Amino acid sequence: MSTQPDEFALIAELFAPLAASYPGALGLTDDAALLEVPDGQQLVVTVDAMVAGVHFLPDDPPDLVARKLIRVNLSDLAAKGAVPFAVLLAASFPTDVSMAWLTTFAAGLKQDVESYAIALIGGDTVSTPGPLTLSLTAFGRVEAGRALLRRHAQVGDRLWVSGTIGDGALGLLAAQGGLLDLSAEHRDALADRYRLPRPRSLLGPRLVGVARAAMDVSDGLVQDLGHLCRASGVGAVVEADKVPLSAAARAVVAADQSRLATVLTGGDDYELLFTAPREGTDLLLTLARETDTSLTEIGCITAGTGVTVLDRDGQAVLLPRQGWRHFRGEPA
Amino acid sequence: MSTQPDEFALIAELFAPLAASYPGALGLTDDAALLEVPDGQQLVVTVDAMVAGVHFLPDDPPDLVARKLIRVNLSDLAAKGAVPFAVLLAASFPTDVSMAWLTTFAAGLKQDVESYAIALIGGDTVSTPGPLTLSLTAFGRVEAGRALLRRHAQVGDRLWVSGTIGDGALGLLAAQGGLLDLSAEHRDALADRYRLPRPRSLLGPRLVGVARAAMDVSDGLVQDLGHLCRASGVGAVVEADKVPLSAAARAVVAADQSRLATVLTGGDDYELLFTAPREGTDLLLTLARETDTSLTEIGCITAGTGVTVLDRDGQAVLLPRQGWRHFRGEPA
């Protein structure tokens, strides 16, 4: 292969092996892919775009960029209770991209395609004079009529999150060379969470029939919860000191209380936020053990509208912003 | 709405109306969309990316950019015999994009969503410091096991194309201010073909059971036919003087015979290229009448490999290049 990559050689050498497990991908040599959906199941589809310098750092390792691209989409599927099975990639590569970069990028795709037992079933690779721009469409399956939707929250539901909140946003600061008062170990742990989300692909499908409403937390807990409330026509109360923090995030907030706002409103968590009736609590705690996932009750769904965050004294916490607005590329 | 567009307002005002006809789009207010596939049908999916300055001219009217984006994808579905029903949009808009631009872009989407009876079922809008970059995933349905694939050509099949070939590539030259020896009427007709493809969405599904192999011509007739031949393990002969040209393209070639190579290898035709057994000819001519589409036999499928183009004296035509390579952004 020449050092100047060629579209068709690139697809055949780097990407076609990722399609081998899925016959409907047609070896990535046709205009489209064919998908089967078993009787009684529904297809769940989502797309996310990522731009170098906006959604990841331009010098992030290419394999991690590829894996983040897959994982942010799998997080959306997990939030709907869907089991992922396929992805389509549209990639606009800068004209000076090297074969070394592309090879490492494809290796990252391969790693996660295998980890999550999915296939790359098609795509489009083009050239851009601008920054690397990627979009991935992800396909999952869920029993028909059973997907977890944002609109299903009910007044009185308890509010839960998986894992820990705030690591992604703090990780971006760490990856950019900030948070220098923190130990190197904590900085590395946070930066890793920013660069490599952990979609809750095992937990999500297990929440079907247990959770009522669900979504993934990607633009900041408070803002995302606001979207869930609007979709359901309800309000929510979050008890700030119940929001689960990692050891590194606890260290950040202990050193500077104002960072609590970053935790509650920063993006890139890729945890699941969901509601469940109070009588579902025991089942959820069992699920947490079986999937080796921490699940934490952080508040409840109320009548009314909007999200209220309370401190340990029951006082409303005022937040300078609610979350991340992708389109403006700035905090909202 | 403020003149500074906001992601959520943008989606609610401009894009959500395009989702209204499809309940599984969830009003564009959830993490993902839900798709039903009727029993006995298969889903056909494709994605195409377009970058300003590469796949369309930066000052092309935004509504035409939107419509081209939809149409290039519907062309892929038509080539598989699929009936389109939904699209997902991932859009990276430049930070200085105006509400006027976005409104016209959305109006273009709306026009073609309605024309082709499809729905926008989801997407992602982000901000980019680079050029406008769009990717669209399109969904169609076909009777299970009946999709038209590139790999089904057989030796002895006749080779057919819909419409006329070369107008897209000549239209790019016209849109860039070239072909000045041509009448303004012909230049406008060609530029229009470049800016607004006509996917063969009615014809494609009618070819199921009649055609054997099929694909759409988007990267140049000769190169694309080469892909079809490789996928089927066959060769092909094209008789150059049978390739159907529009009046404008005929005028270009009459004035400069060397432009025939542009016609045969230029991209952006978005016509269907397909093979059919000789006994299917009468049925195809009936289909042509019923769908008001010109269909022209241009050659045949042979044993061996590769594409041979013959002139009217039966001599092989040597072409300086085979077609468009998107990834290099240059002719191949």
Side-chain angles (χ1 to χ4, degrees):
Chain A
M1 175 182 278
S2 94
T3 53
Q4 174 80 311
D6 167 275
E7 182 187 10
F8 304 111
L10 193 75
I11 292 170
E13 295 205 16
L14 297 181
F15 298 134
L18 312 183
S21 68
Y22 198 86
L26 304 170
L28 306 186
T29 61
D30 212 307
D31 303 280
L34 306 177
L35 292 187
E36 313 278 352
V37 183
D39 285 0
Q41 299 213 340
Q42 236 173 349
L43 204 64
V44 183
V45 295
T46 185
V47 64
D48 266 310
M50 289 183 8
V51 180
V54 181
H55 303 92
F56 56 93
L57 304 176
D59 59 353
D60 275 349
D63 52 335
L64 292 191
V65 171
R67 296 169 71 195
K68 181 167 187 170
L69 178 67
I70 287 180
R71 289 168 178 228
V72 300
N73 279 285
L74 295 193
S75 182
D76 284 319
L77 295 184
K80 304 299 99 187
V83 176
F85 69 98
V87 295
L88 279 177
L89 170 68
S92 305
F93 293 116
T95 44
D96 63 352
V97 70
S98 69
M99 267 314 292
W101 196 99
L102 290 167
T103 303
T104 310
F105 178 80
L109 287 180
K110 181 169 190 286
Q111 188 172 350
D112 274 1
V113 157
E114 291 175 353
S115 298
Y116 292 100
I118 59 179
L120 176 72
I121 60 166
D124 193 18
T125 55
V126 301
S127 183
T128 178
L132 173 65
T133 303
L134 302 164
S135 88
L136 195 89
T137 304
F139 300 85
R141 295 190 193 96
V142 69
E143 203 182 322
R146 302 267 282 170
L148 303 170
L149 304 184
R150 295 185 183 183
R151 56 177 65 165
H152 288 161
Q154 294 182 18
V155 175
D157 278 0
R158 313 310 297 172
L159 188 62
W160 295 77
V161 291
S162 63
T164 58
I165 296 295
D167 300 312
L170 297 174
L172 173 58
L173 297 177
Q176 287 172 327
L179 301 183
L180 288 175
D181 48 340
L182 214 58
S183 73
E185 190 186 345
H186 280 162
R187 281 204 310 275
D188 288 350
L190 292 172
D192 179 62
R193 277 293 300 268
Y194 172 72
R195 290 207 177 92
L196 197 60
R198 271 71 169 179
R200 298 301 186 178
S201 297
L202 288 178
L203 175 66
R206 297 291 301 275
L207 291 176
V208 170
V210 182
R212 280 210 177 100
M215 69 182 299
D216 81 326
V217 185
S218 56
D219 291 349
L221 177 65
V222 174
Q223 174 171 292
D224 284 335
L225 178 54
H227 293 316
L228 185 145
C229 287
R230 256 189 304 283
S232 292
V234 298
V237 171
V238 172
E239 295 175 67
D241 67 341
K242 288 192 177 172
V243 174
L245 303 192
S246 66
R250 280 199 304 274
V252 172
V253 174
D256 177 358
Q257 197 63 30
S258 78
R259 289 293 190 194
L260 183 62
T262 308
V263 167
L264 296 174
T265 65
D268 285 305
D269 289 308
Y270 302 107
E271 294 292 353
L272 300 190
L273 171 70
F274 58 95
T275 80
R278 188 188 293 271
E279 57 271 26
T281 300
D282 287 348
L283 195 44
L284 285 169
L285 297 177
T286 303
L287 265 187
R289 277 193 305 279
E290 290 179 359
T291 60
D292 199 21
T293 312
S294 73
L295 294 180
T296 310
E297 190 185 314
I298 62 168
C300 63
I301 296 297
T302 62
T305 59
V307 176
T308 306
V309 181
L310 299 179
D311 66 17
R312 70 186 60 191
D313 302 320
Q315 301 297 308
V317 177
L318 291 180
L319 297 166
R321 64 194 186 89
Q322 294 239 302
W324 185 257
R325 302 226 153 168
H326 286 270
F327 185 65
R328 282 187 183 174
E330 63 185 29
Chain B
M1 174 181 279
S2 93
T3 53
Q4 174 81 312
D6 166 274
E7 182 187 9
F8 303 111
L10 193 75
I11 292 169
E13 297 205 16
L14 296 183
F15 298 135
L18 312 185
S21 67
Y22 199 85
L26 303 169
L28 306 187
T29 62
D30 212 305
D31 304 278
L34 306 176
L35 292 188
E36 314 280 352
V37 183
D39 285 359
Q41 299 213 341
Q42 239 173 348
L43 204 64
V44 183
V45 296
T46 185
V47 63
D48 267 309
M50 289 184 9
V51 179
V54 180
H55 303 92
F56 56 92
L57 303 177
D59 59 352
D60 274 349
D63 52 334
L64 291 191
V65 171
R67 296 169 71 194
K68 181 168 187 172
L69 178 68
I70 288 180
R71 289 168 178 227
V72 299
N73 278 285
L74 294 193
S75 182
D76 284 319
L77 296 183
K80 304 298 99 185
V83 177
F85 68 97
V87 295
L88 280 176
L89 171 68
S92 304
F93 293 117
T95 44
D96 63 352
V97 69
S98 69
M99 268 314 292
W101 196 99
L102 290 167
T103 303
T104 309
F105 178 80
L109 287 180
K110 180 168 191 286
Q111 189 173 349
D112 274 359
V113 157
E114 291 174 355
S115 299
Y116 293 99
I118 60 179
L120 176 71
I121 60 166
D124 193 19
T125 55
V126 302
S127 183
T128 179
L132 173 65
T133 303
L134 303 164
S135 86
L136 194 90
T137 304
F139 299 86
R141 295 190 195 98
V142 68
E143 203 183 324
R146 303 266 283 171
L148 303 170
L149 304 184
R150 294 184 184 184
R151 57 176 65 166
H152 288 161
Q154 294 182 18
V155 175
D157 278 0
R158 312 309 300 173
L159 188 62
W160 295 77
V161 291
S162 63
T164 57
I165 296 295
D167 299 313
L170 298 174
L172 173 58
L173 297 177
Q176 288 172 327
L179 301 183
L180 287 175
D181 47 339
L182 214 60
S183 72
E185 189 186 346
H186 279 161
R187 280 201 312 275
D188 288 350
L190 292 172
D192 179 62
R193 277 293 300 267
Y194 171 72
R195 291 207 177 90
L196 197 60
R198 271 71 169 178
R200 297 301 186 174
S201 297
L202 287 178
L203 174 66
R206 298 290 302 274
L207 291 178
V208 170
V210 183
R212 279 210 178 101
M215 68 182 299
D216 81 324
V217 185
S218 56
D219 291 349
L221 177 65
V222 174
Q223 174 170 290
D224 284 336
L225 178 54
H227 293 316
L228 185 146
C229 286
R230 255 189 305 285
S232 293
V234 297
V237 170
V238 172
E239 295 174 67
D241 66 341
K242 288 191 177 171
V243 174
L245 304 192
S246 67
R250 279 199 305 274
V252 172
V253 174
D256 177 357
Q257 195 64 27
S258 78
R259 290 291 191 196
L260 182 62
T262 307
V263 166
L264 295 175
T265 65
D268 285 304
D269 288 309
Y270 302 107
E271 294 292 352
L272 299 189
L273 170 70
F274 58 95
T275 81
R278 188 187 292 272
E279 58 270 28
T281 299
D282 286 349
L283 194 45
L284 285 169
L285 295 178
T286 303
L287 266 186
R289 277 193 305 276
E290 288 179 2
T291 60
D292 200 20
T293 311
S294 73
L295 294 180
T296 309
E297 190 185 316
I298 62 167
C300 63
I301 296 297
T302 61
T305 60
V307 176
T308 304
V309 180
L310 300 179
D311 67 17
R312 71 184 62 190
D313 302 319
Q315 300 297 308
V317 176
L318 291 180
L319 296 166
R321 63 195 187 88
Q322 294 238 302
W324 185 255
R325 303 224 152 169
H326 285 272
F327 185 65
R328 286 188 180 171
E330 63 185 29

